[in-house]
């Protein structure tokens, strides 16, 4: 059976080594397996062997792409950050805030996210590389969204010119993270509407 990226003839012999000949379907299967393995066993117990088994590939297929589980997780986290979320534009600050809270709540309530995020944050205390990747994925990527929402609200005259976009992000994400991932409590009916109103008021909406 031909190995990954193998072939015959002069063209195959001239093919470059490394990522250029790696099959994308296997790469995506491995990335998906990382999320599943993290949710199942956590970063500390996660292994290349377990990832490979879950992805249906050999260990060699993983090591061709990443030299360690840390680099594999860094790549996956960075890919999530790069995807980002589009900034909502509902026409009002309250509408934008409500939509952002709904999207964030849905993501944080996902069983996989509720297991992975706290585990990776704990591991980041021991790994500066992972800490930086998580900062990019969980903070920096969302800061641009919060800044866009704030900027449009300023243009509409809903917020003062000196409003702090960093504070806006804290107000948007902090309460949900605390309730869903720390306290692990549900969201009662009307909670997101009430939180939207509180966030808008705290930002000094006019």
């Amino acid at each position: 059976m031909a190995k990954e990226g193998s072939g015959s003839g002069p063209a195959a012999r001239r093919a470059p080594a490394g990522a250029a000949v790696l099959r994308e379907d296997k790469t995506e299967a491995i990335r998906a397996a990382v999320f599943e393995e993290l949710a199942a066993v956590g970063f500390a117990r996660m292994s290349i062997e377990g990832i490979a088994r879950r992805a249906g590939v050999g260990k060699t297929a993983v090591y061709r792409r990443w030299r360690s589980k840390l680099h594999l997780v860094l790549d996956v986290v960075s890919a999530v950050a790069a995807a980002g979320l589009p900034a909502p534009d509902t026409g009002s600050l309250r509408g934008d805030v409500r939509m952002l809270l709904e999207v964030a709540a849905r993501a944080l309530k996902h069983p996989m996210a509720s297991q992975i995020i706290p585990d990776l944050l704990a591991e980041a205390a021991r790994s500066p590389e992972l800490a930086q990747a998580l900062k990019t994925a969980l903070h920096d990527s969302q800061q641009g969204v919060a800044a866009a929402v704030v900027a449009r609200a300023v243009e509409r005259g809903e917020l003062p010119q000196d409003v702090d976009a960093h504070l806006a992000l804290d107000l948007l994400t902090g309460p949900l993270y605390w309730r869903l991932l720390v306290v692990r409590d549900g969201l009662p009916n009307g909670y997101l509407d009430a939180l939207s109103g509180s966030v808008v008021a705290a930002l000094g909406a006019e």
Side-chain angles (χ1 to χ4, degrees):
M1 182 180 293
K3 295 182 179 179
E4 182 178 8
S6 65
S8 59
R13 286 194 296 272
R14 291 195 300 269
V21 296
L22 299 178
R23 285 175 48 182
E24 186 61 26
D25 59 334
K26 285 193 175 184
T27 301
E28 290 308 310
I30 294 169
R31 286 184 172 133
V34 170
F35 284 112
E36 295 171 2
E37 195 73 358
L38 278 171
V41 303
F43 182 86
R45 294 176 56 199
M46 186 179 76
S47 66
I48 295 296
E49 291 81 0
I51 293 168
R53 183 168 54 251
R54 194 178 288 273
V57 302
K59 288 192 299 181
T60 303
V62 181
Y63 281 118
R64 282 194 187 112
R65 294 160 171 82
W66 302 278
R67 64 179 182 268
S68 70
K69 72 175 185 179
L70 174 60
H71 289 89
L72 175 49
V73 170
L74 289 175
D75 175 70
V76 170
V77 169
S78 297
V80 171
L85 289 172
D89 189 5
T90 64
S92 73
L93 175 61
R94 186 175 184 120
D96 290 348
V97 167
R98 179 63 173 79
M99 184 173 290
L100 282 176
L101 289 174
E102 184 173 350
V103 171
R106 190 182 305 124
L108 291 174
K109 285 191 294 185
H110 191 285
M112 197 171 289
S114 68
Q115 294 296 323
I116 291 174
I117 295 175
D119 179 72
L120 287 182
L121 288 174
E123 190 64 33
R126 297 180 286 272
S127 170
E129 286 181 286
L130 183 57
Q132 182 57 49
L134 287 176
K135 180 177 181 296
T136 300
L138 300 178
H139 180 273
D140 295 358
S141 63
Q142 299 308 307
Q143 188 60 59
V145 175
V149 167
V150 166
R152 281 199 284 265
V154 170
E155 291 175 359
R156 290 191 297 260
E158 295 178 277
L159 289 176
Q161 293 284 341
D162 60 351
V163 67
D164 188 345
H166 293 278
L167 175 62
L169 182 60
D170 292 344
L171 291 169
L172 283 165
T173 57
L176 289 178
Y177 182 87
W178 170 260
R179 190 175 187 100
L180 295 175
L181 297 188
V182 179
V183 180
R184 292 189 176 271
D185 200 359
L187 301 181
N189 290 336
Y191 179 82
L192 292 181
D193 289 328
L195 182 56
S196 299
S198 296
V199 170
V200 169
L203 290 173
E206 299 176 356

